[in-house]
Amino acid sequence: MRKYVIMGVQGSGKGTQSALLAADLDLVHISVGDIFRWHVKNHTKLGAQVRRLVAAGELVGDDLVEDVVRDRLQLHDWNYGFVIDGFPRNRRQAEFFLESYDIDGVIHLDLPDAEVRRRVLARRLCSRCGMDYNLIAHRPEQEGRCDVCGGELVSRADDTPDALARRLTDYHSKIDPVLELFRRKEYVMTIDARADKATVQRTIRTRFNLPPYLPAQEETVALSEQPGGG
């Protein structure tokens, strides 16, 4: 059984790298962001709370994140292990995690703030089907229109320069102490996240002595991310 934490600032590729690892190693990918997005999409009480925070450019509170992660891990559907992104978000959560789970490593995707701003502010979302785009790496065939359903592409509500600046400040103030705690336990491998996703994935696998990354896996993950995919 393998258990990994993947950490990195917004736009560093945590979701993509986690999905590639999970698909090949039979791990469960636990994404805090995906859980919250599901609640927003399905109009739950929690989703309404998250929607208000996002509209204000704020992060979901740490206590709420901790409750969601604890509930998710208690499902125990991760027979071969898990890779979790979006948690822990403060030192207390990190200490809880170390006490509760025998993790194999922390993957730290390092990305300069200037590159974060470039990537995040280029993100677009289909207003109809929810398909993700990035005007740097994944442009639509028709300007401003979704390739899947033809819906209008819009910026996410929280992808504004001011909101991003607040999130970066909050991220560094909370996550840097978490990384320091993990480093003292010799769990952390820092990976340069500026490279393309295949290079980043190969570096992760080399550093953690995992099976090599094969190009066909990228196609599998890309298909799973399409509407209706697994």
Side-chain angles (χ1 to χ4, degrees):
M1 182 180 290
R2 297 184 174 102
K3 298 184 286 295
Y4 297 103
V5 173
I6 188 163
M7 302 181 68
V9 70
Q10 186 176 15
S12 60
K14 298 188 300 295
T16 296
Q17 298 304 327
S18 298
L20 289 169
L21 284 172
D24 190 39
L25 303 177
D26 289 327
L27 305 177
V28 172
H29 175 203
I30 300 174
S31 166
V32 173
D34 285 349
I35 293 172
F36 285 133
R37 280 188 285 274
W38 183 91
H39 281 279
V40 170
K41 183 178 179 180
N42 288 276
H43 305 287
T44 67
K45 183 177 180 181
L46 174 58
Q49 184 177 352
V50 172
R51 190 188 295 274
R52 288 193 296 272
L53 291 169
V54 168
E58 299 176 5
L59 290 172
V60 176
D62 291 340
D63 290 341
L64 185 56
V65 171
E66 187 172 339
D67 289 343
V68 166
V69 171
R70 183 182 288 109
D71 290 346
R72 178 64 185 84
L73 288 171
Q74 286 176 351
L75 294 178
H76 289 289
D77 58 345
W78 31 277
N79 296 328
Y80 298 99
F82 59 77
V83 54
I84 183 168
D85 77 71
F87 186 88
R89 292 181 15 173
N90 59 42
R91 186 182 180 90
R92 178 176 58 81
Q93 290 176 353
E95 291 171 345
F96 151 76
F97 206 74
L98 287 172
E99 292 171 0
S100 304
Y101 301 97
D102 183 21
I103 64 172
D104 293 279
V106 175
I107 303 163
H108 173 222
L109 299 179
D110 187 33
L111 194 68
D113 286 357
E115 179 63 11
V116 173
R117 286 189 286 269
R118 189 178 80 93
R119 292 185 182 188
V120 169
L121 296 180
R123 296 194 305 192
R124 297 294 185 271
L125 189 69
C126 177
S127 58
R128 186 182 300 169
C129 73
M131 184 74 174
D132 282 312
Y133 290 86
N134 188 291
L135 301 184
I136 299 170
H138 181 200
R139 299 186 67 90
E141 293 182 5
Q142 181 183 351
E143 186 82 21
R145 291 291 170 183
C146 177
D147 295 338
V148 177
C149 71
E152 181 184 4
L153 300 186
V154 298
S155 297
R156 300 186 189 188
D158 57 341
D159 282 354
T160 66
D162 288 345
L164 179 57
R166 290 195 296 270
R167 293 200 301 273
L168 284 171
T169 298
D170 187 79
Y171 172 83
H172 289 301
S173 67
K174 292 181 177 179
I175 298 301
D176 289 353
V178 172
L179 283 170
E180 182 58 32
L181 176 64
F182 282 143
R183 286 192 181 102
R184 287 209 297 270
K185 302 290 186 178
E186 299 183 351
Y187 285 127
V188 179
M189 291 288 186
T190 296
I191 310 294
D192 187 346
R194 290 174 295 180
D196 63 89
K197 59 185 177 183
T199 299
V200 172
Q201 181 69 196
R202 283 194 290 268
T203 303
I204 291 171
R205 294 186 183 221
T206 298
R207 298 286 293 277
F208 284 95
N209 296 314
L210 295 171
Y213 171 66
L214 302 176
Q217 293 162 212
E218 184 174 338
E219 181 179 351
T220 301
V221 171
L223 288 173
S224 72
E225 292 172 346
Q226 298 292 326

